[in-house]
Amino acid sequence: MTGLPAGWTLCKIGDVLEPVEKTGKDEKDREIWYVDISSIDNKSNRIKAPKRLNMAEAPSRARQKIQAGDVLFSTVRPYLRNIAPVGQGLDGEIASTGFAVLRGIQGIEPKYLFYKCISYDFVSALTGEQYGVSYPAVKEEQVKEQPLELPPTNEQHRIAEKVEALFDEINRGVESLRDAKRDIELYRQSLLKSAFEGRLTADWRAKNPDKLENPEVLLASIREERDGRYQQQLEEWKVASTDWSESNDRNGKPKKPLKPKTLPPLSVKELNQLTPLPATWRWIRVADIGLVGTGVTPLRSNNTYYEGGNIGWITSGALNNPVVKVSPQYVTEAALNDTNLRIYPPHTLLIALYGEGKTRGKCSELLIPAATNQAIAAIVQEATSANFRKFLKWFFTKNYEEIRASSSGGVQPNLNLGIIENTPIPLCSAREAKEIVMRIEARTSQIPDPRIRSGWLAVFAILVL
């Protein structure tokens, strides 16, 4: 009993295959299209980049003559799913011996065979049989030993047509999802642009003129509070340093607090390159509203810096999330004592200075006390400027691409603390900043999930179930 529908049979895939001819020495002067594993796009399972070669110059693996309708199944690292059908344009061309070339006998629908070969069960079964470590592979015989549920030919055609129709539906849904995501991103960027140019709250300013602080007075208040806090921390550090010195304790030397920077105001030339702001706003620099620092990576070869650590240590990859609630790694007190690591308080804003893919320029809010590596800029704000934390975070979200574009370097451009400190930001009254954040969050929370619009999940569910 196989549990298959009436008229179906269970066989090995090799039972329904024809032999594949090899090239001969008499073909050495022939111009060929050569298909090797790198020619396959394993996302679309299509042959995308065959190579035009003279047979005499082709590698020794260029041995298999392929026909339209063949299925090429890479026997090297089968989990990478380098599997593709051969189209009419490559009929009679040459493929690498790194493929099992599967050519069905009469009565076997090529597309049915192809869809079987890209199925999860088929690939995962062969992945479990691969041998070798640095170059894991399976043998062609192992591919041909795999079971095949074989319906009558007409039913093979119907199944292949149904699968193709469902894939077409999915592709349309995915395209719709991309369109929806693009539309949502355009809406969000338009909303943020309006917010940070003052247009989003123009009506609020008109109704609340008594709540509009003078930006010069507000900035002076922020600086006074910042400098006062620094002087307090400096005095506390001096006392702690004296106590540490007198105790002859060689561990845990107190770290001197970071001194706030007072940068020159933006020049006329710089201001002329920025968007005009409402009369009650002004352009400042990030360093005017926050203390910018970074971290280090303790020596990896020193186990005492990592084993048993309980101090959160954040790397740039964690900033792909809007908030950091859990530390991906931990370091020890020894690492804190021996290096320039600092523990940043909750609600510090973190910006990725560099990292893989789209990480550079991402802004996240730290919700736990933690240190960071050198790939992160940490922006710490005091009580008054902390009123602008969400405002500042949304500004970095809006300016993500501009921040990335300001990176320096060639092959792997990076941001640095100087770029972050000097980034121009708009300053408005604290009450208006709060109103702006409230309106942004209210409107972005009403954006529908793009998957609902696309409807493709329903189609996906049909395939899965």
Side-chain angles (χ1 to χ4, degrees), residues 19 42 54 58 228 306 328 388 431:
N42 62 2
N54 185 289
Y306 295 94
F388 294 90
R431 292 183 180 182

Side-chain angles (χ1 to χ4, degrees), residues 337-353:
N337 296 334
D338 296 351
T339 70
N340 290 326
L341 279 176
R342 296 177 182 274
I343 297 178
Y344 292 106
H347 306 301
T348 297
L349 293 184
L350 304 179
I351 299 173
L353 300 177

Side-chain angles (χ1 to χ4, degrees), residues 255 298 305-314 327-337 341-344 368-372:
K255 287 185 169 61
Y305 289 165
Y306 295 94
E307 289 185 2
N310 60 0
I311 299 170
W313 183 66
I314 311 301
S327 178
Q329 299 182 55
Y330 294 86
V331 294
T332 63
E333 290 283 350
L336 194 65
N337 296 334
L341 279 176
R342 296 177 182 274
I343 297 178
Y344 292 106
I368 56 173
T372 77

Side-chain angles (χ1 to χ4, degrees), residues 7-8 17 40 53 194 220-221 224 227 287 298 311 359 382 430 459 461:
W8 290 46
L17 298 180
I40 306 294
L53 300 173
S194 173
S221 174
E224 181 180 357
D227 293 343
I311 299 170
T359 301
E382 300 299 339
V459 181

Side-chain angles (χ1 to χ4, degrees), residues 53-66:
L53 300 173
N54 185 289
M55 193 64 190
E57 302 170 347
S60 60
R61 294 174 71 90
R63 294 288 315 283
Q64 305 196 86
K65 291 186 177 180
I66 55 178

Side-chain angles (χ1 to χ4, degrees), residues 182-192 443 447:
R182 185 188 64 246
D183 292 346
I184 287 171
E185 184 58 29
L186 287 173
Y187 169 76
R188 189 173 75 154
Q189 283 301 110
S190 176
L191 173 66
L192 294 178
R443 296 192 187 188
I447 297 174

